[in-house]
Amino acid sequence: MEDLAVQALNGLASASSLFLVASGLTVIFGVSRIVNFAHGSLFMLGAYLAWTLTGAGPLADLGGFWGFWGAILLAALAVGALGALVEMTVLRRIYGAPELFQLLATFALVLIVQDVALFLWGPDDKFGPRAPLLRGAVEILGLRFPRYELFLIAVGPVVLGLLWLLFHRTRFGILLRAATQDREMVAALGVDQRLLFTGVFFLGAALAGLGGALQLPREAVTLHMDMAVIVEAFVVVVVGGLGSLPGAFLAALLIGELHAFGILVFPRITLVLVFLVMAVVLVLRPYGLLGRKPSGAPPSSETALPLPPAMPRALRPVALLALALLLMLPPFLGEYPLILLADFASFVLFAASLHFIMGPGGMASFGHAAYFGAGAYAAALLFRHFAAPMELGLLAAPFAAGLVGLLFGWFCVRLSGVYSAMLTLAFAQIAWSIAFQWIEVTGGDNGILGLWPSEWARGRLAFFYLSLALCGAAVWLLRRAIHAPFGMALRAQRDSALRAEAIGIDAFRVRWLAFAFAAAMAGIAGALFAYGKGSVFPSVLDIPRSVDALLMVLLGGVQTLNGPIIGAIAYAGLQEQLARVTDYWRLLLGLVILALVLFFPRGLAGAFRRKDAA
C-alpha cells in the first residue's frame, strides 16, 4: 500500500506538470483555433532560459531563494513575450489561411527553435540546481517522497484556480470566453481582436515556459523535450475536450496516474499508453471528456472547391520538361541521385495519398505513416518469414495497408476536425508500438534487414524506373478516383454531409472507403521505400514520418491536385540539400517554410494557380 501511495503521488506530480503545458495549449486553441505545434518549443525554451538564468544569468549572483524563483518567473515571462512576438509577426498575417496551413507555420517555428537552441546551448544535456527550501524528502507512510514533487502537485490546482478567476472575474477573461464561443460576434461588438489574440498567446506561451522552467530541478534539459511534451499535451487537450480547462486538468490527472501505475501493471505498453487512452476516450466520447459539440456550421475554407482545378498553364511546360528529364537523364546519373529520385517517387505517392483524404475528402490525418509503414512491414515480414520475392511483397503491401486503413478508418471517419486527426495519430502510435515491441515478429528496434529487390530490379536505374512507374500509376489512379462519381460523392459529403445524405449518399461509407483507398496507396509507397533502403525499422511508422507527409501536402497546397507532387519534391529536396550544406539545416528549412507560408499562404501550387488565373 505504501508503494501504491507513492506511485499515486508521482502520478499527481506528472499530471500537474503536464497540465501547465496543456492549459496554455487549451487557451490558445480555444480562442485562436490554431493547432500550435510550436508549444513544445516554448516549453523547451522555458527550461533552457531558466537554466541559463540560474547558472550564468543576471540572477545567478543573487543565489538562494530569490535567485532561483526569480529565474523561474523571468523565464516564463520571457517565453510569454516571445509567444506574443510570434503572434504579431507571423501568425497574425495568416489568420485568413486554412486552419491546417497555420499548423505548417508553427511547425516551421519548431525547426527554427530547435537549431537556435542547438546553437545557443549546444547538444549536451543541461542539469539545473535544486529548488531552495524544497530540497530533500519527507516521510509519507514510512517512505520518503521528494518535497519538490509535492510542490508540483500543488502547482496544478493553483494554476487552474487562478485561470478560473481570470476567465470568470476579469473583463479580459470574459472576452476570452466569448471569443471561444463566437469570435465574429466579439469583433462586431467592437473588441480589438488583434490585442485579444496577442494577450492569449502571451498567456499560453507563459504557461508553457513556466511548465518548462519548473522541470529544471527534476529532469535534464535536452533538445528533444519539445516533441516529447507537445504530443502528450495534445493528447491531454483532446481527451479533456478542446477549449475546456477543467477537461484538460481531468485528462492530465487520468494520464498521469495511468502512466504511474501502468509501469507497474503493464510495463510493455507504457510507450503507447496515452494513445490507447485517447483512442478509447474519442471512440466513446467523440468530443472529449468535458468537450462539447461545436455549434453552428463549420468554418468555410478554400479546401472546399467544387471541382479540383486543372494544372495552371504556366506549369504545363515545366511539368512536361520535368517528365522528359525524368525519363531521359537517369541513365547518365550516378548511384546516389538515383537513390534520391526513387525516394522522391515514394514521397510523391505518400503525399498524394494523404491529399486524397485531406483535399477531396476534407479529413485531416496526423497518423498517415501507419499505412506507409504497414505496406513496408507487409513486404518485410513476407520476406523474413516466408522468403517472399519483391513481386509478392509489392502485391501484398496495398492489401495489408488497405486492411489497416479499413480497421482504423472505421473509427476515425466518424469524427471530424482535430478530434479525427488526433485519433489517426493515436492509431499510428499504437501500430508503431507493436512494431517496436513485438521483437519476435518484427525485430523490434533492430528492424528487418536484407530486404532487397529481385535480381532484375536490383540495379539502381532499374529500381528507379520501377518506382517511377508504380508511383506514377498510383497517383494516376488517385486522380481518376477524384474525377469519378466516387470522387464527386466524396467532395459532396465534404462540402455538406447533410445535403449528401439527403440525396442518398452514404457519407460515412464514402469517407471510410476513401480512407482505406488512400491507405492502400500509401502502402505501395512504403513498400517501395523499404525495398529501396533494403531494410525496415519502426521509424517508418513514427510521428515524424506522418509530419513529413502533412508538411508535403500543406507546402504544395491542399486546394490543387498538383500540390502534393510539388510539395513532396520541394520539401524532400530542400531537406536533402540543406542537410548536406550545414548542421543547422533545420533552421534554414524552417525559415524557407516560414517564408513560403507568409508569401504563398495557399501553397506553392496554389500560388501558381492564382498567378495563372490573373
Side-chain angles (χ1 to χ4, degrees):
M1 290 299 297
E2 292 83 356
D3 292 337
L4 292 178
V6 170
Q7 283 298 105
L9 290 174
N10 283 326
L12 289 176
S14 298
S16 186
S17 300
L18 188 55
F19 171 71
L20 284 179
V21 186
S23 61
L25 193 60
T26 298
V27 170
I28 290 175
F29 183 86
V31 176
S32 67
R33 292 293 185 252
I34 286 182
V35 182
N36 184 18
F37 228 113
H39 203 69
S41 299
L42 299 174
F43 172 87
M44 179 181 70
L45 284 177
Y48 270 115
L49 287 174
W51 178 83
T52 300
L53 292 171
T54 56
L59 299 177
D61 295 336
L62 291 178
F65 180 87
W66 296 110
F68 179 85
W69 294 108
I72 296 294
L73 180 59
L74 189 58
L77 293 176
V79 174
L82 180 61
L85 180 64
V86 167
E87 190 278 334
M88 289 187 293
T89 57
V90 178
L91 298 177
R92 184 178 293 180
R93 301 182 59 181
I94 57 173
Y95 279 135
E99 290 181 2
L100 281 175
F101 202 76
Q102 297 165 359
L103 183 146
L104 181 60
T106 61
F107 187 79
L109 293 173
V110 172
L111 297 175
I112 293 171
V113 172
Q114 182 75 216
D115 271 1
V116 168
L118 174 63
F119 176 78
L120 293 177
W121 289 287
D124 299 330
D125 296 350
K126 310 298 181 185
F127 297 92
R130 295 182 179 180
L133 305 182
L134 295 174
R135 299 172 182 174
V138 297
E139 283 198 7
I140 299 177
L141 298 177
L143 296 176
R144 296 178 63 81
F145 190 78
R147 285 191 175 93
Y148 191 75
E149 298 293 297
L150 288 175
F151 166 75
L152 287 180
I153 292 174
V155 167
V158 169
V159 170
L160 177 62
L162 291 175
L163 289 175
W164 187 91
L165 291 174
L166 175 66
F167 291 156
H168 292 84
R169 294 292 185 266
T170 66
R171 183 176 183 272
F172 177 72
I174 293 172
L175 290 177
L176 286 184
R177 289 193 294 125
T180 300
Q181 298 180 12
D182 196 332
R183 284 187 294 176
E184 288 74 16
M185 182 58 69
V186 171
L189 293 175
V191 176
D192 188 349
Q193 283 198 329
R194 293 184 301 175
L195 184 60
L196 185 66
F197 280 21
T198 301
V200 165
F201 268 86
F202 174 84
L203 176 60
L207 288 170
L210 178 62
L214 288 175
Q215 300 305 303
L216 197 60
R218 69 193 301 249
E219 65 177 87
V221 183
T222 72
L223 292 171
H224 306 291
M225 61 192 307
D226 55 345
M227 292 305 294
V229 76
I230 189 58
V231 173
E232 288 199 349
F234 270 129
V235 171
V236 168
V237 171
V238 171
V239 169
L242 294 174
S244 172
L245 278 172
F249 185 77
L250 179 60
L253 284 177
L254 175 64
I255 290 172
E257 291 299 335
L258 284 175
H259 255 313
F261 288 101
I263 295 176
L264 300 177
V265 183
F266 302 109
R268 289 180 64 89
I269 67 169
T270 52
L271 292 175
V272 76
L273 185 59
V274 293
F275 298 101
L276 285 171
V277 172
M278 182 170 67
V280 171
V281 169
L282 290 183
V283 168
L284 298 178
R285 293 186 62 85
Y287 301 103
L289 295 174
L290 299 183
R292 294 179 296 178
K293 183 177 181 179
S295 58
S300 60
S301 72
E302 281 201 50
T303 59
L305 298 175
L307 286 173
M311 179 181 292
R313 288 190 298 271
L315 278 182
R316 290 171 190 170
V318 178
L320 291 175
L321 177 61
L323 181 60
L325 292 176
L326 274 178
L327 294 175
M328 294 186 297
L329 279 184
F332 305 100
L333 300 177
E335 184 171 322
Y336 184 67
L338 290 175
I339 295 174
L340 289 181
L341 288 176
D343 289 346
F344 284 7
S346 298
F347 292 151
V348 166
L349 177 55
F350 187 28
S353 65
L354 177 58
H355 173 268
F356 183 76
I357 57 176
M358 284 184 63
M363 299 176 285
S365 174
F366 292 170
H368 205 60
Y371 319 109
F372 185 84
Y377 267 101
L381 291 175
L382 283 175
F383 164 76
R384 179 179 183 180
H385 297 287
F386 304 101
M390 178 190 70
E391 293 81 1
L392 184 58
L394 290 176
L395 286 175
F399 288 102
L403 287 175
V404 174
L406 280 173
L407 175 61
F408 293 171
W410 193 84
F411 299 98
C412 295
V413 301
R414 296 175 183 273
L415 306 179
S416 60
V418 177
Y419 292 104
S420 174
M422 290 301 293
L423 188 56
T424 62
L425 175 64
F427 283 131
Q429 283 303 99
I430 292 171
W432 170 84
S433 176
I434 293 172
F436 185 80
Q437 294 187 316
W438 200 2
I439 299 175
E440 299 81 7
V441 176
T442 64
D445 197 32
N446 294 323
I448 299 176
L449 307 178
L451 183 69
W452 298 112
S454 297
E455 191 63 34
W456 62 271
R458 189 156 298 183
R460 291 298 178 183
L461 181 62
F463 186 77
F464 161 70
Y465 280 126
L466 173 66
S467 300
L468 182 64
L470 291 181
C471 292
V475 171
W476 179 82
L477 279 177
L478 288 166
R479 292 199 174 198
R480 289 293 298 170
I482 292 174
H483 289 93
F486 176 78
M488 296 178 184
L490 183 63
R491 296 196 300 275
Q493 65 79 33
R494 173 201 65 188
D495 297 338
S496 178
L498 291 177
R499 291 181 181 180
E501 295 279 1
I503 62 174
I505 296 175
D506 188 340
F508 167 76
R509 181 171 172 270
V510 169
R511 288 196 301 270
W512 187 26
L513 292 177
F515 198 94
F517 180 57
M521 296 298 102
I524 297 175
L528 285 170
F529 184 80
Y531 281 115
K533 298 300 181 185
S535 58
V536 176
F537 296 95
S539 58
V540 298
L541 295 153
D542 208 355
I543 294 174
R545 185 69 62 187
S546 295
V547 172
D548 286 344
L550 189 62
L551 291 177
M552 291 172 191
V553 174
L554 296 177
L555 189 60
V558 187
Q559 305 92 345
T560 66
L561 289 178
N562 301 303
I565 300 175
I566 297 174
I569 295 173
Y571 178 75
L574 277 172
Q575 190 177 39
E576 169 63 27
Q577 292 302 313
L578 293 176
R580 297 175 64 183
V581 172
T582 175
D583 292 336
Y584 299 102
W585 62 271
R586 294 179 187 84
L587 173 63
L588 297 179
L589 180 61
L591 290 173
V592 171
I593 293 176
L594 200 58
L596 292 173
V597 167
L598 294 176
F599 297 106
F600 304 103
R602 291 164 183 82
L604 293 172
F608 282 112
R609 181 169 61 86
R610 189 174 181 181
K611 179 180 178 181
D612 187 66

